[in-house]
């Protein structure tokens, strides 16, 4: 009975779930410590995983690398969105960092000057 079951979909689904869950706190910490200037690290990580996905012949591993690659690419957008969440006060600022939005007179809640 069990010899006819295929676990590839469950493995891919679980790894996708864990990958997305892993990237969420990574983006928050990366923005806290380095700001948006670390976006290129997500790009390089994504490109490496994308290349690996193209070169690996195993279906599950290739798919997992593809999921990792596009999660990295998505994180580039999220790092900039995280900066906006910090600006709005939804997440804490790093007191040891300078923020570009500290010097403007924009009201974080109304976006008015």
């Amino acid at each position: 009975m069990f010899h006819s079951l295929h676990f590839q979909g469950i493995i891919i689904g679980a790894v996708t779930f864990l990958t997305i869950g892993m990237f969420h706190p990574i983006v928050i910490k990366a923005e806290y410590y380095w700001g948006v200037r670390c976006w290129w690290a997500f790009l390089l990580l994504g490109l490496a995983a994308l290349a690996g996905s193209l070169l690996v012949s195993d279906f599950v591993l290739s798919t997992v690398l593809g999921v990792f690659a596009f999660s990295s690419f998505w994180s580039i957008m999220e790092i900039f969105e995280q900066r906006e969440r910090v600006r709005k006060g939804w997440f804490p600022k790093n007191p040891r960092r300078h923020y570009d939005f500290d010097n403007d007179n924009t009201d974080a809640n109304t976006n008015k000057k």
Side-chain angles (χ1 to χ4, degrees):
M1 177 178 158
F2 288 110
H3 58 72
S4 64
L5 296 178
H6 303 283
F7 290 97
Q8 293 94 338
I10 293 172
I11 293 168
I12 292 167
V15 170
T16 300
F17 178 75
L18 293 172
T19 301
I20 292 169
M22 176 184 71
F23 270 94
H24 180 69
I26 289 173
V27 165
I28 292 169
K29 292 293 185 185
E31 195 287 327
Y32 184 82
Y33 289 109
W34 301 297
V36 295
R37 67 177 186 249
C38 67
W39 71 267
W40 59 268
F42 290 108
L43 177 65
L44 293 177
L45 196 61
L47 290 173
L50 189 65
S53 180
L54 291 171
L55 297 173
V56 170
S57 62
D58 181 71
F59 174 73
V60 173
L61 184 56
S62 176
T63 304
V64 166
L65 285 169
V67 166
F68 190 86
F70 282 90
S71 293
S72 297
F73 296 147
W74 186 265
S75 294
I76 295 170
M77 181 194 71
E78 280 298 316
I79 200 90
F80 288 94
E81 301 235 348
Q82 180 64 20
R83 175 178 61 183
E84 287 303 305
R85 292 188 280 267
V86 170
R87 184 185 66 78
K88 292 177 181 178
W90 298 351
F91 283 83
K93 290 182 185 179
N94 183 342
R96 290 181 254 174
R97 275 194 39 231
H98 168 74
Y99 290 86
D100 294 335
F101 54 81
D102 282 339
N103 293 335
D104 71 13
N105 294 326
T106 302
D107 182 346
N109 296 324
T110 62
N111 291 331
K112 294 180 183 175
K113 289 199 177 196

